[in-house]
Amino acid sequence: MHPAHARVLLEGPPGPDGTPLRVPVTRVALTDGSTFDRYTTAGPGSDPEVGLPPLRTPWLDARGDTAPYEGRATRLRDDGPAAVRRGEVRTQWRGERRAPRRALPGRRPTQLHLARQGVVTTEMAYAAAREGCDPELVRSEVAAGRAIVPANVNHPELEPMVIGRRFLVKVNANIGNSAVTSSVAEEVEKLTWAVTWGADTVMDLSTGDDIHTTREWVVRNSPVPIGTVPLYQALEKVGGDAAALSWEVYRDTVVEQCEQGVDYMTVHAGVLLEHVPLTADRVTGIVSRGGSIMAGWCLAHHEQNFLHTHFDELCELLAAYDVSFSLGDGLRPGSVADANDAAQLAELRTLADLTVRAWEHDVQVMVEGPGHVPLDLVEENVRLQQEWCHGAPFYTLGPLATDVAPGYDHITSAIGAASIAMHGTAMLCYVTPKEHLGLPDRDDVKTGVVTYKLCAHAADVAKGHPRAREWDDALSRARFEFRWHDQFALSLDPVTAQALHDETLPAEAAKTAHFCSMCGPRFCSMRISHDVRERFAGMQEKSREFVDLGGTVYVDPR
Amino acid sequence: MHPAHARVLLEGPPGPDGTPLRVPVTRVALTDGSTFDRYTTAGPGSDPEVGLPPLRTPWLDARGDTAPYEGRATRLRDDGPAAVRRGEVRTQWRGERRAPRRALPGRRPTQLHLARQGVVTTEMAYAAAREGCDPELVRSEVAAGRAIVPANVNHPELEPMVIGRRFLVKVNANIGNSAVTSSVAEEVEKLTWAVTWGADTVMDLSTGDDIHTTREWVVRNSPVPIGTVPLYQALEKVGGDAAALSWEVYRDTVVEQCEQGVDYMTVHAGVLLEHVPLTADRVTGIVSRGGSIMAGWCLAHHEQNFLHTHFDELCELLAAYDVSFSLGDGLRPGSVADANDAAQLAELRTLADLTVRAWEHDVQVMVEGPGHVPLDLVEENVRLQQEWCHGAPFYTLGPLATDVAPGYDHITSAIGAASIAMHGTAMLCYVTPKEHLGLPDRDDVKTGVVTYKLCAHAADVAKGHPRAREWDDALSRARFEFRWHDQFALSLDPVTAQALHDETLPAEAAKTAHFCSMCGPRFCSMRISHDVRERFAGMQEKSREFVDLGGTVYVDPR
């Protein structure tokens, strides 16, 4: 953490026991003695071996609509290959073993159900305090389906947050090992690193060995909602043969992940058998992993997608744990040539139907979006999604505004991301410089998160979010007043800002100098601008004297 | 140069002597034996001690509206401090000394004048061949003031190009030493480096020692138009005291730079005395160096800006050499708080008036724009500029969509740049990661240029430029077909693309593998998508058989 930054807990609205919730911010100490508070995602910090404290357990106990039960993992012995070996479920805190929870019979422990009943949950109140908005705004937006508070009852470590177009634009970071590289400990470190730089949610997209164990470690150490794509683990369970997938294997995987505490799941239920021919003439076919797996399954069996045929059953399952849907766009365009084509829009129509069906089961929903989209077609994507899906939060991957710059796709996609967020996308999935080329390492994760935080913030400013521009103004004032240390401390990435400044002018004296190495002292526009302002103030003084003296020109009679 | 790239000269329209012009492209050799041609800015390569060959000299001779004369530099002895020491004018090629040219009495050697006369100049024909458009389109856009072909008659080394909203969006890279750092040789290297990565023009913003000599080296080695801000050198000539500036010193500096071959000059003639009070309540005052210098001068003298009062004289001077105006926005916003404010718009009104006045003198004009602008106000900037300035090309610095990310301002500004270019900005001035922090080094120059090339291309795609999307499609096809070498070679930055891929999979075999380290072989959506396509092709075959056999279901009678 930067020396001028501190995690501070502000007093929020009362929690279930009547004592005030304590809601975190990053407090930036400025050199003039004032402070500036920023939204924070970093969490209280954890010992990976122990996990984070279970903040929400008393809230869940007080609500009383869930109860512990003998989870699937304790019933089953290790029943898979190394790739899916379950290990011990580490749902414990300071040695106390914790059984998974689920809904009591006849109860609906989802934020959507409660919001519809008029209940402001502790999670909603907490999220509202972070946003600095009325808790009733969170409740009403969740009730209308226009926002979600992803919060699995088995993820007590979570610091709840809200995703919706009326709130701050959020950023997701993908982590996860692949068959080719990386380890469990590395993934936990990537998680911690991602939230340090501002990731609002993290998706664990592991596909190689130890999927279960990796996820367990990730969830226990995560202060932010965790998303997954259960299909990846299901495929590992059937030895990688898409044709061997079945509803039963998939269902078992979903239960396993619900019990672990995954907060939202990408489900590719919108890829229908009849959509596959629509992709035949595309430049880049199907580029979503989940989409291509399900399309392969549909063709192999010549049957309808089992995620679609079993969708109601899946809804009931997710409702029992308050897991949110992230309806996957399996047919998203993978090149600007394929943007907004028949395949993409046919799937979006299906996702709109599924949104309404999930809502009937009180399950929270967000809808995923592209991908690769030329800048002139970006707005149409969010407009159609918001219209067709009745305002359900949109969650897009970029989109990339051009295909020609591999190695810079965090930037090609930042262009599309800022634009689509300004037009109403609620959450942006980051893209790193390694996109299309390899698996992101620690530096790539940071670059991706910081890039997307600046997109999200640019969109918040453009949307006129009540508190967004305060941050820009605080930093710009520090810049104009040559408070270099404050300028660094207020930066999205203080470390990089200071390092780039210090490359040329490392001396401490340069931190208060009225110039930098860009222009040197003689040409510093800001310094000259101060001189101009002083001169102008002098002119104003003279002008006031003139008016005070009667406003007439005194002519010496001699 | 990348091993798959070659500079190839295509046969263009006939030049002045009837033989075809030879116009450069970068030809990318693909692994299937085909090639892909891209617009190139790199030039033929030069020995800095010799300079580039004077391509345009026979064209200028044939036109016959200019003549050599005894230039200012040969008349004057060294008359300044070290900072402005003139050295020997290096206007020579293979030892042959070259006197500067200017208009013959009564002649107007500007592209605007010639276009208005219906003449398609060799420069226009050359630029059109590079764009792949009809030369008449270039002529008519130049004649209407909606495009410029910046081409000082004393810059024969130039490969002419066109700037205007109907053409490919262009990118400018700023280089230049400051009082704090860098040397002449470094600046020439930065120039060469910038055009290697695609800079369409380069501005030399040197402010420290050896301004004249640096610029001489830069112009003699530049295949792209060179821009300057003469005010910086004028200020050095008066020892850095803005109040000591005068029209005479400024005029002398402009003549000096016209004779050297500068193609366009930023002139801050729009900062009027009465505008200064409008900046008093800004968060960041005046952030343009030129703007703050002229505002300081106006207040110190309580007189109108001498660039404004002498504007017609300045026009006559530039017309004699065909130097284009880049009307500087001295009052551009330096923070999102100050965007689109009264000061900015008052200056834009003045720039609109000056545009018309310059056109009356047959001088080509582009108009500079911001700066820092929230994304929701970006479109208004270009709409107002195009309306008020009668379609004169807009040339913007970003704009940055937020102030909170120093160290990432190439990205915060790429977001605004792509958007403003899509809406009609003709040229983008790059921003490097060092913006607000220090002077860009070689790596920063590259990052800035590549970032802005991808913005410009994204805008070309969004605007539906006839040939823009071909490039995306070629790269995406290579990607979908696992032609990794072709994907790298077609990339805006092949070196970085391949380096990022090779971080995880360096083996040559991985260059044809049907996966990468992102997902590994089992989860490669593109590989699965190929399987799906094959299966689907099989289905289509069966379906055709079915139809061919009469389209009825055969029921075995047994």
Side-chain angles (χ1 to χ4, degrees), chain A residues 154-493:
Chain A
N154 290 311
H155 188 191
E157 301 88 351
L158 178 72
E159 295 180 342
M161 48 77 80
V162 58
I163 301 169
R165 67 182 293 168
R166 297 283 298 274
F167 306 101
L168 291 166
V169 174
K170 302 303 188 295
V171 169
N172 173 70
N174 291 335
I175 61 171
N177 57 2
S178 82
V180 179
T181 178
S182 111
S183 75
V184 173
E186 271 176 53
E187 294 314 309
V188 175
E189 204 205 316
K190 274 187 206 164
L191 160 78
T192 306
W193 189 236
V195 299
T196 298
W197 292 107
D200 294 287
T201 79
V202 167
M203 292 193 79
D204 175 11
L205 302 184
S206 294
T207 56
D209 288 348
D210 302 319
I211 295 186
H212 180 97
T213 310
T214 304
R215 188 170 51 238
E216 186 64 34
W217 282 58
V218 164
V219 176
R220 298 288 73 79
N221 287 286
S222 179
V224 303
I226 295 296
T228 60
V229 185
L231 193 59
Y232 299 168
Q233 188 181 6
L235 188 63
E236 296 287 358
K237 289 186 183 179
V238 295
D241 176 9
L245 281 167
S246 66
W247 164 244
E248 290 67 33
V249 171
Y250 186 86
R251 185 189 186 287
D252 177 70
T253 308
V254 168
V255 172
E256 179 182 341
Q257 300 196 6
C258 285
E259 291 182 352
Q260 280 189 304
V262 169
D263 300 287
Y264 66 89
M265 296 183 188
T266 294
V267 176
H268 296 94
V271 179
L272 300 187
L273 177 61
E274 56 268 37
H275 296 159
V276 180
L278 300 176
T279 68
D281 293 326
R282 280 181 153 186
V283 168
T284 45
I286 302 177
V287 297
S288 144
R289 289 188 228 170
S292 58
I293 293 165
M294 289 316 303
W297 188 92
C298 290
L299 285 188
H301 293 264
H302 209 79
E303 273 177 33
Q304 193 52 284
N305 180 340
F306 63 78
L307 297 171
H308 193 264
T309 52
H310 290 272
F311 191 73
D312 293 302
E313 201 177 337
L314 185 56
C315 289
E316 286 299 304
L317 211 54
L318 300 200
Y321 302 88
D322 197 9
V323 171
S324 302
F325 272 114
S326 185
L327 294 175
D329 58 333
L331 303 181
R332 68 171 173 264
S335 54
V336 294
D338 296 341
N340 297 24
D341 73 350
Q344 184 195 334
L345 297 184
E347 185 184 32
L348 183 58
R349 285 272 185 206
T350 311
L351 299 183
D353 295 342
L354 296 175
T355 298
V356 175
R357 277 168 69 185
W359 285 346
E360 286 166 3
H361 293 272
D362 293 316
V363 180
Q364 304 187 88
V365 179
M366 58 183 171
V367 175
E368 297 186 7
H372 293 239
V373 181
L375 208 46
D376 58 315
L377 298 182
V378 164
E379 185 178 358
E380 186 184 26
N381 271 274
V382 59
R383 190 175 53 72
L384 293 179
Q385 185 276 337
Q386 288 287 291
E387 269 178 38
W388 294 358
C389 303
H390 311 282
F394 203 26
Y395 167 30
T396 61
L397 177 63
L400 284 73
T402 170
D403 308 341
V404 303
Y408 297 79
D409 281 339
H410 58 308
I411 304 178
T412 57
S413 67
I415 292 167
S419 174
I420 207 163
M422 172 175 85
H423 288 116
T425 290
M427 185 157 80
L428 303 169
C429 182
Y430 85 168
V431 170
T432 78
K434 286 275 174 62
E435 185 73 15
H436 299 117
L437 298 169
L439 204 65
D441 63 18
R442 190 181 151 93
D443 286 346
D444 298 317
V445 167
K446 177 180 166 183
T447 301
V449 172
V450 175
T451 300
Y452 270 68
K453 288 301 275 192
L454 71 84
C455 292
H457 182 73
D460 290 335
V461 169
K463 287 163 71 177
H465 188 280
R467 302 201 308 186
R469 227 197 58 201
E470 290 174 11
W471 185 8
D472 298 77
D473 294 356
L475 190 142
S476 286
R477 282 201 189 87
R479 178 174 287 155
F480 192 61
E481 292 165 10
F482 298 104
R483 290 183 278 119
W484 287 96
H485 277 300
D486 291 349
Q487 190 186 154
F488 303 147
L490 285 163
S491 294
L492 197 47
D493 176 0

Side-chain angles (χ1 to χ4, degrees), chain B residues 166-180:
Chain B
R166 298 281 298 272
F167 306 102
L168 291 166
V169 174
K170 302 303 187 296
V171 169
N172 172 70
N174 291 335
I175 61 171
N177 56 0
S178 81
V180 179

Side-chain angles (χ1 to χ4, degrees), chain B residues 486-510:
Chain B
D486 290 348
Q487 192 186 151
F488 303 147
L490 286 163
S491 295
L492 197 45
D493 175 0
V495 182
T496 298
Q498 179 157 355
L500 293 190
H501 174 269
D502 289 1
E503 269 182 33
T504 342
L505 295 173
E508 182 54 32

Side-chain angles (χ1 to χ4, degrees), chain B residues 278-300:
Chain B
L278 300 175
T279 68
D281 294 325
R282 280 182 154 187
V283 169
T284 46
I286 302 176
V287 297
S288 143
R289 290 188 227 169
S292 57
I293 293 165
M294 289 317 302
W297 189 91
C298 289
L299 284 188

Side-chain angles (χ1 to χ4, degrees), chain B residues 197-477:
Chain B
W197 292 107
D200 294 287
T201 80
V202 168
M203 290 193 79
D204 175 9
L205 302 184
S206 294
T207 57
D209 287 348
D210 301 320
I211 294 186
H212 180 98
T213 310
T214 304
R215 189 173 48 241
E216 186 64 34
W217 282 57
V218 164
V219 176
R220 298 285 76 77
N221 286 285
S222 179
V224 303
I226 295 296
T228 59
V229 184
L231 193 59
Y232 299 168
Q233 187 180 5
L235 188 62
E236 298 284 358
K237 290 186 183 178
V238 295
D241 176 9
L245 281 167
S246 66
W247 165 245
E248 289 66 32
V249 171
Y250 186 86
R251 185 189 185 287
D252 176 69
T253 308
V254 168
V255 172
E256 178 181 343
Q257 300 196 7
C258 285
E259 291 183 354
Q260 280 190 304
V262 169
D263 300 287
Y264 65 89
M265 297 183 188
T266 294
V267 176
H268 296 93
V271 179
L272 301 188
L273 177 62
E274 55 268 38
H275 296 159
V276 181
L278 300 175
T279 68
D281 294 325
R282 280 182 154 187
V283 169
T284 46
I286 302 176
V287 297
S288 143
R289 290 188 227 169
S292 57
I293 293 165
M294 289 317 302
W297 189 91
C298 289
L299 284 188
H301 294 263
H302 209 78
E303 272 179 32
Q304 193 52 284
N305 181 339
F306 64 76
L307 297 171
H308 193 265
T309 50
H310 290 271
F311 191 73
D312 293 305
E313 200 177 338
L314 186 55
C315 289
E316 285 300 303
L317 210 54
L318 301 200
Y321 301 88
D322 197 10
V323 172
S324 301
F325 273 115
S326 185
L327 294 175
D329 58 334
L331 303 181
R332 66 171 175 266
S335 53
V336 293
D338 297 341
N340 296 27
D341 73 351
Q344 185 194 333
L345 297 184
E347 184 183 33
L348 183 58
R349 285 275 185 205
T350 311
L351 299 183
D353 296 342
L354 296 175
T355 299
V356 175
R357 276 168 69 185
W359 285 347
E360 286 165 4
H361 294 271
D362 292 317
V363 180
Q364 304 187 85
V365 180
M366 56 183 172
V367 175
E368 297 187 7
H372 292 240
V373 181
L375 208 46
D376 59 315
L377 298 184
V378 164
E379 185 177 356
E380 187 184 24
N381 270 276
V382 59
R383 189 175 51 74
L384 292 179
Q385 185 276 336
Q386 288 288 290
E387 270 178 38
W388 294 358
C389 303
H390 311 282
F394 203 26
Y395 167 31
T396 61
L397 177 63
L400 284 73
T402 170
D403 308 340
V404 302
Y408 297 80
D409 281 339
H410 58 309
I411 305 178
T412 58
S413 66
I415 291 167
S419 175
I420 208 163
M422 172 176 85
H423 289 115
T425 289
M427 184 157 79
L428 302 169
C429 181
Y430 86 169
V431 171
T432 79
K434 285 275 175 59
E435 184 73 16
H436 299 115
L437 298 169
L439 204 66
D441 63 17
R442 189 182 152 92
D443 286 346
D444 298 317
V445 167
K446 176 179 166 182
T447 301
V449 172
V450 175
T451 299
Y452 270 68
K453 288 301 274 192
L454 71 85
C455 291
H457 182 72
D460 289 336
V461 169
K463 287 164 72 178
H465 188 280
R467 301 199 311 186
R469 226 195 62 200
E470 289 174 12
W471 185 7
D472 298 77
D473 295 355
L475 190 143
S476 287
R477 283 203 187 87

